[in-house]
Amino acid sequence: MISMPRRRCIELLAVIALGLAPLAVGAAALQPFAEEPFQSALAAGKPVLIQIHADWCPTCRAQAPILDALATEAPYAGITRFRVDFDSQAQVVKKLGASAQSTLILFGGGKELARSVGATAEPAIRALLDHAR
């Protein structure tokens, strides 16, 4: 077992934490869908991803970790992400013209750029997000 003075251990942990902080800050946080923040993001011209999600949906559960991982990558970190609950936000689902859970809708410049239903392969999801570039 290697012994390290307590102060040195704390310093090392601080360096590690500071080194990882940019990853956490750069990643676009997933937020529950609300009309006002969504419209604000669209009006600002930001890329926006809508995830139509249901907790009971295995396809949605497969998409989530892929989207979370991609959100930490530089080309996708600036995409604002909203999750629409397929069951409790049926009016929003209808307004967006989504026919199923596991629908991903990408907006950019205030308009829809791309849409996918049921994609669970990382290359397919990456290709969808590439439309925001």
Side-chain angles (χ1 to χ4, degrees), residues 8-133:
R8 181 67 182 136
C9 187
I10 291 171
E11 289 172 353
L12 182 59
L13 289 173
V15 168
I16 292 169
L18 289 173
L20 296 178
L23 293 176
V25 170
L30 178 62
Q31 52 191 303
F33 180 88
E35 191 67 36
E36 187 176 315
F38 171 64
Q39 290 300 330
S40 293
L42 287 181
K46 296 179 180 180
V48 176
L49 179 68
I50 297 287
Q51 296 172 231
I52 311 270
H53 180 89
D55 289 338
W56 48 263
C57 170
T59 304
C60 299
R61 286 193 303 268
Q63 289 174 334
I66 295 167
L67 290 163
D68 289 344
L70 290 173
T72 65
E73 295 183 16
Y76 313 115
I79 298 175
T80 302
R81 300 166 56 209
F82 293 100
R83 178 178 281 178
V84 175
D85 185 276
F86 182 76
D87 297 312
S88 68
Q89 295 181 300
Q91 289 296 85
V92 176
V93 172
K94 183 176 180 179
K95 180 179 175 183
L96 292 168
S99 59
Q101 71 282 355
S102 74
T103 300
L104 304 174
I105 308 169
L106 182 68
F107 293 86
K111 62 181 180 165
E112 185 175 327
L113 299 175
R115 180 180 290 239
S116 171
V117 180
T120 57
E122 185 269 340
I125 294 173
R126 184 182 294 274
L128 174 90
L129 298 179
D130 282 342
H131 285 90
R133 292 186 184 188

